[in-house]
Amino acid sequence: MAIKFLGYKQKTALSSVEKKERNRFMKNLQSGRMFFAALLMIFLIISCGKKSDFGYIVDPTKNDKGVDSIVFKGDSSQAIDKSKYLQASIFPGLICLEEPRVTKTIDLDLFYVKSEDLRISVLPRPMFSTGFYAAPGELIAITVPDGVYDLTLQIGAWTDNVAHIQNAKRDPVIYTQTKLIPGKNFTRNLYGGTIYIIPSSPKTTPLKMTFENVVESPDFVLGKTNAAEWKQKLAKSCVPYLELRSKYTIFTIRRDYAIKYPVADPDELMTEWDKGIKDDFYGWAGLEENPANPADRSPLLPYRVVLDAEISVGYGHNGFPIMAINDTYWQTTITDVKELRNGSVWGLYHEIGHNFQQGKYWSWSSLGETTCNLFSFKLAKRMETAGIPNAWPAKHPAVPGATLKALQFAASSDGSKNFDNSSDPIIGNDPFARLTPFLQMFDKIPANWGYAGQGDGWGIMTELYKKARRAVRESPNDLSKHDFVYETVSDYTKKDWQLFFRAWGISLSTTALTRVAAKGYPMMLQEIWKYNPITRTGGNTTIDPYSNTAWAIVSFSSEEKTGEGPPNGLATAIIDGNLNTFWHSQWSGGTGTPPHQITIDLGAVTKLPLTFSGFKYSHRNGMARRAVRVYVDVSNNNSTWTPLTGSPFALAAVNGYQTFNLPAPVSARYIRIRTTSTADVADGTNFWAVAEFGVFQ
């Protein structure tokens, strides 16, 4: 087998580590010539110009003649360990021999600000790019300054363990971490990869560190890299993966795809991504770089997104780093600024959204795949405001249909409906349908509602995050998380939103209802649960709790079903708003004797007590079977009754409404009118008739 030497020069003395490495290599070399020869034949057969899906054995853009040679640089201790060369060639890829191995000393800035407990799922971590790449199996050296003991070296961005995946497209674990000590440290990674430094504490001044036998990665760094020079460097390099870096985001992507799908303007691209993370995630969550309250300080570290041949679960998953399959969808999602601006980055916003979820405080169990998607709509809203055509709504084909199902669910009158029921016949376990109530609140509340001077409904999300960061304790169950959202929205708007939550079948505790009621907020009566946030239609009607259309007859002593000619004779006639229709106690085919009563549910729609300061009453037109006095009682449970002050009330012999003002407002869910005997009726008979009854403010 051929052994190529590059600038080899014998040193006069070797360190114990170097001697050990040299002796190990020479022993293996002497005893394993046949093995290496066979391995060489395998590589030569495989590498006949063919491109792997996940890397190159021979880079087609290079005259790569020495890829299968063992290389010495400096001395024999730096021999390449090619035991995983075949696997490395499949992923992440080999590096051509012409790519210079360099020795460089850099000032590495390892400063960061430790974040407060932001109470989101995954925070970015202090993991610093060096701009260097370790070639597969090649020994590298890192010199650390004296007195620095808390650094870890990582080689490789692909940190998922895929051992559980049958026929995985790469080996299970291909990254390595090495604890560094002051002085020169030697290490290698058999698969190669980007080189990172991970400090356990921030460094106030940059560290001068030397990296030997490394390859310079064709990374683009916003604000530091010249775009034209970067494109030239990209074209010349044969490093299989590179990084696009900005303040808030770092992407690890395929170099060959970066050439095949070129980035038109990397400055514009990474500036736009920075703005997206800063505004749509940190900003919407109420985080700033220099806030008045440290609890609202955004992390001064970037999120990382890494493309990989195989990941531990799914097509993409959240975490640090966020992992995704290295195909054209994810590559173009990252590198095409038009995809970002038109909202076609749902997948990546979904995964970053998972990192931002506050599942311990308000994002309850059925929202696991829902609240992470709200950020895509924040992006769409921001782009719409910036004047991007057709930016709204967020781009996902399932959303319009799911929204229609959700609106059907909210409009249903089933009192037992449950928003969280995964077996519901309408919305089932559809995470897109569960977006609708949040989007209704965000997008329908205009800034001119003027509830609390808070701005429009999009500020509700910010309020949820800020309140969660300040919460004394975690929410122990889903009901308490329902309450958290209900109380936050009510406080933000200075309105009681219980009707909205009831329409959506989102249960609320009596404790939360009582707390909000004690604040004296008026009821939010606009039927926002009918608003379609995708088409931006509907949701403009309001409930008038003093309208008889919001009431219902719940009981009566008797009614005349046929003799008077419906709707006359029926109890419902007294709340139909028509003075020409009337209720009549039963007189045909039955007794219909006193006492008589009719009970009205004033909260049939709102399910709430109604506060009123008086009532109105009308005899049957013409005053047949009119009462001379009427008893009026109120209740909040339809069981325990309290007479109104002044009951019984004397009735005049007049057609039309008679009004009765109460000495003080009364709050009640149910109201009952009744007569006790024939003495209460003007003609002294067993029968009683009423045209209309109602209450007023």
Side-chain angles (χ1 to χ4, degrees):
M1 62 184 298
I3 301 177
K4 182 179 286 189
F5 295 82
L6 295 182
Y8 174 73
K9 182 179 180 180
Q10 178 66 51
K11 297 167 71 174
T12 56
L14 298 177
S15 69
S16 59
V17 173
E18 292 171 325
K19 288 178 181 178
K20 183 177 180 181
E21 190 68 19
R22 181 195 62 183
N23 293 337
R24 182 184 69 82
F25 170 78
M26 296 305 295
K27 181 179 179 181
N28 290 342
L29 181 62
Q30 293 171 0
S31 62
R33 289 181 180 273
M34 293 301 294
F35 170 77
F36 281 110
L39 185 62
L40 176 60
M41 290 301 296
I42 292 173
F43 279 116
L44 290 174
I45 292 170
I46 294 175
S47 63
C48 294
K50 293 184 178 180
K51 171 186 170 184
S52 165
D53 286 339
F54 306 102
Y56 292 102
I57 292 176
V58 177
D59 190 318
T61 67
K62 299 287 176 292
N63 180 21
D64 188 4
K65 298 177 180 178
V67 72
D68 290 306
S69 299
I70 292 180
V71 181
F72 289 103
K73 286 190 63 183
D75 58 67
S76 59
S77 70
Q78 292 177 312
I80 301 175
D81 184 338
K82 301 184 69 174
S83 60
K84 289 291 184 180
Y85 238 41
L86 177 59
Q87 293 88 335
S89 71
I90 296 171
F91 186 86
L94 302 181
I95 297 180
C96 57
L97 199 59
E98 286 83 359
E99 189 73 45
R101 276 60 169 173
V102 300
T103 295
K104 280 200 171 183
T105 299
I106 62 172
D107 290 324
L108 191 59
D109 187 355
L110 301 178
F111 177 75
Y112 61 98
V113 176
K114 289 186 176 181
S115 297
E116 299 287 331
D117 181 9
L118 300 182
R119 300 178 177 180
I120 61 177
S121 295
V122 180
L123 282 167
R125 300 171 192 164
M127 176 177 171
F128 292 87
S129 300
T130 62
F132 298 126
Y133 195 100
E138 295 186 19
L139 194 69
I140 66 171
I142 302 93
T143 302
V144 177
D146 291 341
V148 179
Y149 288 90
D150 65 338
L151 302 182
T152 297
L153 173 80
Q154 178 173 312
I155 301 177
W158 310 279
T159 53
D160 273 11
N161 185 335
V162 297
H164 60 289
I165 297 177
Q166 189 174 9
N167 299 320
K169 297 180 179 68
R170 65 164 172 83
D171 274 2
V173 178
I174 62 173
Y175 80 104
T176 55
Q177 287 189 342
T178 305
K179 186 72 176 177
L180 299 178
I181 59 174
K184 183 172 288 191
N185 301 258
F186 292 91
T187 188
R188 73 172 90 239
N189 180 299
L190 299 181
Y191 305 88
T194 309
I195 299 173
Y196 305 100
I197 299 296
I198 303 172
S200 59
S201 61
K203 307 303 176 188
T204 55
T205 57
L207 294 184
K208 192 172 292 295
M209 300 180 66
T210 300
F211 296 80
E212 300 178 50
N213 197 39
V214 296
V215 174
E216 290 190 90
S217 178
D219 297 348
F220 177 84
V221 183
L222 183 63
K224 294 183 179 179
T225 307
N226 177 274
E229 293 175 357
W230 172 71
K231 291 181 179 181
Q232 293 176 359
K233 186 175 182 181
L234 184 67
K236 294 177 181 179
S237 175
C238 68
V239 175
Y241 277 77
L242 64 108
E243 290 188 335
L244 304 176
R245 290 188 252 153
S246 63
K247 185 173 185 177
Y248 292 109
T249 320
I250 296 178
F251 299 111
T252 303
I253 63 172
R254 290 174 57 161
R255 179 190 56 82
D256 63 317
Y257 271 16
I259 294 172
K260 185 175 182 180
Y261 307 101
V263 179
D265 186 340
D267 287 292
E268 179 186 36
L269 173 72
M270 296 311 293
T271 298
E272 199 68 68
W273 271 112
D274 253 13
K275 189 168 181 60
I277 301 299
K278 182 179 179 180
D279 292 354
D280 302 333
F281 291 94
Y282 289 141
W284 204 24
L287 297 170
E288 306 172 46
E289 289 186 14
N290 297 295
N293 189 327
D296 298 323
R297 179 179 290 114
S298 62
L300 297 180
L301 288 168
Y303 274 109
R304 289 182 174 271
V305 180
V306 175
L307 301 190
D308 197 339
E310 195 81 78
I311 60 177
S312 58
V313 61
Y315 185 47
H317 68 74
N318 73 304
F320 188 87
I322 293 167
M323 302 296 299
I325 297 297
N326 56 1
D327 61 8
T328 56
Y329 166 77
W330 286 107
Q331 179 86 14
T332 54
T333 291
I334 289 168
T335 59
D336 189 343
V337 72
K338 291 183 292 186
E339 295 289 288
L340 177 57
R341 286 177 175 159
N342 68 19
S344 298
V345 292
W346 182 285
L348 190 47
Y349 261 57
H350 172 94
E351 302 303 348
I352 302 173
H354 270 309
N355 281 359
F356 267 79
Q357 284 176 307
Q358 291 185 315
K360 294 181 179 180
Y361 295 89
W362 64 269
S363 184
W364 59 85
S365 60
S366 70
L367 300 177
E369 294 298 324
T370 294
T371 52
C372 58
N373 292 322
L374 293 173
F375 298 93
S376 290
F377 289 89
K378 176 60 169 62
L379 168 64
K381 175 68 174 178
R382 179 169 62 84
M383 290 302 173
E384 179 186 52
T385 303
I388 303 297
N390 303 313
W392 182 268
K395 306 298 187 295
H396 195 288
V399 169
T403 302
L404 293 178
K405 289 194 301 182
L407 293 173
Q408 180 187 351
F409 175 85
S412 66
S413 57
D414 181 3
S416 63
K417 62 183 172 182
N418 182 351
F419 181 81
D420 299 323
N421 179 14
S422 61
S423 301
D424 181 84
I426 300 177
I427 60 173
N429 198 28
D430 190 339
F432 301 106
R434 289 188 172 86
L435 285 167
T436 307
F438 292 95
L439 296 177
Q440 288 174 331
M441 290 188 289
F442 297 159
D443 202 54
K444 187 60 176 174
I445 298 177
N448 63 4
W449 268 23
Y451 283 170
Q454 304 270 21
D456 63 19
W458 292 89
I460 289 172
M461 189 76 150
T462 309
E463 198 69 12
L464 285 168
Y465 273 85
K466 283 191 170 184
K467 185 176 178 181
R469 289 198 291 273
R470 291 157 174 78
V472 175
R473 61 184 63 86
E474 297 176 3
S475 301
N477 51 49
D478 278 356
L479 180 60
S480 64
K481 293 170 187 176
H482 295 177
D483 290 346
F484 190 100
V485 177
Y486 161 63
E487 292 186 60
T488 300
V489 175
S490 296
D491 288 339
Y492 180 85
T493 60
K494 302 298 188 247
K495 295 279 187 179
D496 187 335
W497 278 67
Q498 61 175 284
L499 295 185
F500 180 88
F501 282 77
R502 184 175 293 115
W504 279 106
I506 301 172
S507 57
L508 300 172
S509 72
T510 302
T511 302
L513 291 168
T514 301
R515 279 198 296 259
V516 172
K519 296 175 182 178
Y521 299 150
M523 198 60 55
M524 202 291 291
L525 298 172
Q526 186 169 340
E527 295 176 302
I528 290 178
W529 54 90
K530 296 181 179 180
Y531 176 66
N532 186 327
I534 307 307
T535 62
R536 287 175 162 163
T537 57
N540 297 315
T541 55
T542 58
I543 295 173
D544 179 2
Y546 296 92
S547 168
N548 47 23
T549 59
W551 307 338
I553 302 297
V554 293
S555 68
F556 48 83
S557 54
S558 70
E559 65 179 1
E560 182 51 50
K561 295 183 181 297
T562 60
E564 299 293 346
N568 290 323
L570 303 180
T572 53
I574 75 168
I575 58 170
D576 67 0
N578 187 350
L579 288 171
N580 294 314
T581 61
F582 59 91
W583 162 81
H584 200 295
S585 59
Q586 186 180 9
W587 57 265
S588 63
T591 57
T593 56
H596 300 298
Q597 65 84 19
I598 299 178
T599 300
I600 304 169
D601 182 357
L602 299 174
V605 173
T606 66
K607 310 299 182 188
L608 299 169
L610 184 64
T611 300
F612 56 93
S613 56
F615 68 89
K616 56 185 180 179
Y617 179 100
S618 176
H619 300 302
R620 172 184 178 179
N621 199 12
M623 290 183 287
R625 309 304 189 205
R626 71 175 178 86
V628 294
R629 57 181 168 267
V630 63
Y631 295 82
V632 184
D633 312 310
V634 292
S635 172
N636 279 319
N637 57 15
N638 198 21
S639 175
T640 304
W641 293 93
T642 302
L644 288 180
T645 301
S647 183
F649 296 90
L651 300 169
V654 295
N655 283 315
Y657 284 116
Q658 301 176 54
T659 59
F660 298 84
N661 293 308
L662 302 175
V666 173
S667 181
R669 168 79 184 268
Y670 302 93
I671 192 164
R672 178 178 68 181
I673 60 173
R674 59 190 173 90
T675 57
T676 61
S677 67
T678 57
D680 295 329
V681 182
D683 59 12
T685 67
N686 288 331
F687 308 113
W688 180 29
V690 182
E692 285 293 314
F693 181 87
V695 299
F696 55 83
Q697 285 180 294

